[in-house]
C-alpha cells in the first residue's frame, strides 16, 4: 500500500471546509486505539495544540535540571511511573520517555572533565541503572525502556564509560565501568555486546591489568550475592554475569598476549556443571580468536573425559588437519 506524503495530505485537506475537517478528525480519532491515544498523548495534544505551538520550552539552569532529574529518579524508585498514584498523573506517567530523552541529551552535552560534567556522568549512571532494571522489573509504563527513549543499552553504556575514562584512568573509574556491566540486560541486544564495548575501550597494559583486577572484585561480589540468593531466576542472571566476566578476563589476558593464563582463568571462573558445555564455550572462544594450536591442545586434553558433540568433532578434525597435515606450522592458521 502506498501512503500519501504530508504535502499530499495538505493538498487534500485544502478541499474541505471547517465543518468537514472536524468530521474527518472525529472519525480518525474514533479509529485510533486507546493504547495509541495514551502512548502519544493525543488528548493532551488536541487540548493544548495552540499553546504547544506558540509556547517555547523554557531553558532550565543546570541546577534546576539536576533537581528535576533527582526528583524524577526518586519518583521512579517509588514506582510512581508504573502504578496509579496521587503524585504522578496517568498522563504524566506516559510522558516518562520524553523526560529521559531530554535528560540524556542535556547531560550528554556537558563537558565530562568539568565539575558539572562529572555530576552529569553520575546522573547518567543513575538513569542507566533505572532503565536497565526497568527491562526486568516494571518501573515505567512499558518494559522496552531503551527502545522507548531511542537509545540502545549498548550506546547508553558506551556514552557513560567514554565520559568516565576521559577523566583519570585509575582503578576507581575503571571499576565503575566494570560494575555497570552487572546491570539487568535489555533483551533486544546481545548481552555480550556490552562487555565488548568495555573490552574495546581498554588498551594499555596498565588499564588492562586494572580492568582484570576490577573484574575479579566484581566476581567476588557476585558470588556473595549468589550464595544468599533464593530466587532461581535471579540466580541464573547472577551466574550469567559471572560467566560474562570470565569472558571479559579471557579477552583482556589475550590483549596482554597471555593466552595460557586466559584459558586457566576462564576454566577457573566460568560456571557450568556440564563439562562438555564448558569445553564447547572455551573451544569456540579459541576458534573465534584463531588460537588453533591451543584449540587442539585443549580438545585433546579432554578427549577421553568428554563426549564431544558432532560440531566440535568436525571443527577439531578440520583444525587438526590444517594445522598438522596442511603444512602450516605457525601458532596461528
Amino acid at each position: 500500500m502506498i501512503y500519501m506524503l504530508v504535502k499530499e495530505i495538505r493538498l487534500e485537506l485544502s478541499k474541505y471546509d471547517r465543518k468537514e475537517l472536524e468530521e474527518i478528525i472525529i472519525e480518525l480519532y474514533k479509529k485510533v486505539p486507546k493504547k495509541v491515544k495514551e502512548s502519544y498523548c493525543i488528548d493532551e495534544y488536541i487540548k493544548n495544540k495552540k499553546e504547544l505551538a506558540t509556547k517555547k520550552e523554557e531553558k532550565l539552569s543546570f541546577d534546576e535540571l539536576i533537581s528535576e532529574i533527582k526528583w524524577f529518579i526518586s519518583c521512579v524508585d517509588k514506582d510512581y511511573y508504573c502504578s496509579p498514584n496521587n503524585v504522578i498523573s496517568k498522563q504524566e506517567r506516559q510522558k516518562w520517555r520524553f523526560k529521559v530523552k531530554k535528560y540524556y541529551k542535556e547531560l550528554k552535552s556537558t563537558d565530562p572533565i568539568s565539575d558539572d560534567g562529572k555530576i552529569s556522568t553520575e546522573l547518567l549512571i543513575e538513569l542507566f541503572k533505572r532503565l536497565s532494571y526497568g527491562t526486568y522489573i516494571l518501573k515505567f509504563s512499558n518494559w522496552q525502556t531503551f527502545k522507548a527513549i531511542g537509545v540502545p543499552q549498548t550506546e547508553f553504556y558506551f556514552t557513560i564509560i567514554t565520559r568516565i575514562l576521559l577523566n583519570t584512568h585509575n582503578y576507581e573509574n575503571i571499576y565503575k565501568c566494570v560494575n555497570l556491566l552487572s546491570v539487568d540486560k535489555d533483551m533486544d541486544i546481545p548481552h555480550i555486546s556490552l562487555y565488548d564495548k568495555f573490552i574495546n575501550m581498554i588498551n594499555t597494559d596498565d588499564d588492562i591489568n586494572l580492568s582484570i583486577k576490577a573484574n575479579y572484585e566484581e566476581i567476588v561480589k557476585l558470588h556473595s550475592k549468589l550464595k544468599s540468593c533464593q530466587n532461581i531466576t535471579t540466580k541464573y542472571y547472577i551466574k550469567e554475569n559471572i560467566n560474562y566476566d570470565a569472558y571479559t578476563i579471557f579477552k583482556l589476558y589475550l590483549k596482554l598476549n597471555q593466552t595460557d593464563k586466559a584459558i586457566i582463568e576462564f576454566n577457573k571462573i566460568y560456571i557450568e556443571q556440564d563439562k562438555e558445555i564448558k569445553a564447547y564455550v572455551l573451544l569456540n572462544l579459541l576458534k573465534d580468536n584463531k588460537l588453533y594450536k591451543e584449540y587442539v591442545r585443549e580438545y585433546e586434553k579432554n578427549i577421553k573425559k568428554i563426549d564431544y558433540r558432532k560440531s566440535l568433532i568436525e571443527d577439531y578434525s578440520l583444525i587438526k588437519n590444517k594445522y598438522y597435515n596442511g603444512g602450516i606450522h605457525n601458532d596461528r592458521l
Side-chain angles (χ1 to χ4, degrees):
M1 182 180 291
I2 300 174
Y3 297 98
M4 288 190 289
L5 300 172
V6 173
K7 63 180 180 181
E8 293 173 325
I9 295 173
R10 292 185 188 280
L11 179 61
E12 292 300 320
L13 291 177
S14 67
K15 300 175 184 178
Y16 300 101
D17 60 25
R18 179 186 174 85
K19 186 175 180 181
E20 290 171 323
L21 286 172
E22 287 178 358
E23 290 175 359
I24 290 172
I25 292 170
I26 291 169
E27 286 304 312
L28 288 174
Y29 181 83
K30 290 177 181 178
K31 294 179 186 298
V32 177
K34 183 180 177 181
K35 285 185 178 180
V36 175
K37 288 174 186 173
E38 291 178 354
S39 179
Y40 287 90
C41 305
I42 289 176
D43 288 2
E44 184 75 14
Y45 181 80
I46 292 172
K47 291 176 183 177
N48 301 302
K49 172 66 176 74
K50 191 172 182 180
E51 181 183 347
L52 290 169
T54 56
K55 183 181 177 182
K56 292 184 179 179
E57 186 178 357
E58 293 182 8
K59 180 76 173 177
L60 297 175
S61 69
F62 184 73
D63 287 342
E64 289 171 333
L65 176 68
I66 297 311
S67 295
E68 183 179 317
I69 295 173
K70 286 182 177 179
W71 165 250
F72 172 81
I73 289 172
S74 70
C75 289
V76 172
D77 290 345
K78 293 172 184 174
D79 291 335
Y80 290 162
Y81 277 91
C82 65
S83 58
N85 61 87
N86 295 324
V87 179
I88 306 295
S89 68
K90 183 177 181 180
Q91 273 189 343
E92 197 65 22
R93 293 199 297 275
Q94 299 295 334
K95 296 178 184 178
W96 73 267
R97 64 185 183 279
F98 302 115
K99 290 178 180 287
V100 177
K101 280 183 182 180
K102 181 183 81 171
Y103 300 155
Y104 179 76
K105 182 180 178 182
E106 293 289 335
L107 294 173
K108 186 182 174 183
S109 68
T110 61
D111 178 5
I113 309 298
S114 67
D115 289 340
D116 286 352
K118 290 174 183 176
I119 294 170
S120 297
T121 301
E122 291 304 314
L123 286 174
L124 282 168
I125 289 172
E126 294 307 313
L127 288 171
F128 179 74
K129 287 179 178 178
R130 270 69 179 185
L131 292 172
S132 298
Y133 189 57
T135 65
Y136 177 65
I137 298 293
L138 190 66
K139 299 298 289 183
F140 302 94
S141 58
N142 62 304
W143 297 86
Q144 294 178 302
T145 54
F146 291 98
K147 186 175 182 180
I149 67 167
V151 182
Q153 190 179 29
T154 47
E155 184 180 329
F156 205 126
Y157 176 71
F158 183 71
T159 295
I160 292 172
I161 65 172
T162 301
R163 293 176 65 88
I164 291 173
L165 295 176
L166 276 174
N167 286 283
T168 308
H169 280 223
N170 56 21
Y171 181 74
E172 180 185 359
N173 284 339
I174 286 177
Y175 180 75
K176 273 185 185 179
C177 300
V178 170
N179 179 253
L180 282 175
L181 290 169
S182 292
V183 296
D184 296 291
K185 311 298 189 299
D186 188 346
M187 296 305 293
D188 288 338
I189 64 161
H191 294 181
I192 206 165
S193 62
L194 276 178
Y195 295 82
D196 283 332
K197 287 286 185 187
F198 171 73
I199 293 164
N200 291 335
M201 287 287 289
I202 306 300
N203 294 304
T204 69
D205 285 1
D206 286 344
D207 284 354
I208 293 170
N209 282 309
L210 287 175
S211 300
I212 291 171
K213 181 182 175 183
N215 271 275
Y216 279 125
E217 182 178 339
E218 189 64 17
I219 288 168
V220 169
K221 290 183 179 179
L222 289 170
H223 271 292
S224 178
K225 286 183 181 179
L226 193 59
K227 286 180 182 178
S228 60
C229 181
Q230 301 298 320
N231 184 283
I232 295 174
T233 304
T234 305
K235 275 189 171 184
Y236 170 83
Y237 286 117
I238 294 173
K239 287 179 182 178
E240 183 184 64
N241 284 332
I242 291 171
N243 287 345
Y244 280 130
D245 283 334
Y247 163 83
T248 304
I249 288 172
F250 175 90
K251 296 284 283 187
L252 290 170
Y253 272 122
L254 292 191
K255 284 195 167 193
L256 293 174
N257 293 315
Q258 296 182 31
T259 306
D260 287 346
K261 183 69 171 173
I263 295 170
I264 291 168
E265 295 306 306
F266 180 87
N267 281 323
K268 188 190 299 181
I269 299 165
Y270 196 88
I271 301 174
E272 177 54 60
Q273 290 183 344
D274 189 316
K275 292 181 180 179
E276 197 278 339
I277 293 175
K278 189 170 182 176
Y280 174 81
V281 175
L282 175 59
L283 290 170
N284 274 289
L285 275 176
L286 294 171
K287 184 179 73 170
D288 291 343
N289 287 279
K290 297 182 171 58
L291 297 166
Y292 301 118
K293 179 182 176 181
E294 290 82 358
Y295 184 103
V296 171
R297 185 188 69 199
E298 292 301 311
Y299 183 98
E300 292 181 346
K301 184 191 296 183
N302 296 304
I303 203 164
K304 293 181 179 179
K305 302 175 186 176
I306 295 175
D307 184 17
Y308 290 119
R309 68 189 69 184
K310 184 180 177 181
S311 63
L312 285 182
I313 295 171
E314 290 173 349
D315 282 346
Y316 166 73
S317 179
L318 178 64
I319 291 170
K320 177 78 170 179
N321 287 333
K322 280 188 176 181
Y323 186 77
Y324 290 105
N325 302 326
I328 301 171
H329 302 291
N330 296 322
D331 286 351
R332 306 290 180 267
L333 289 182

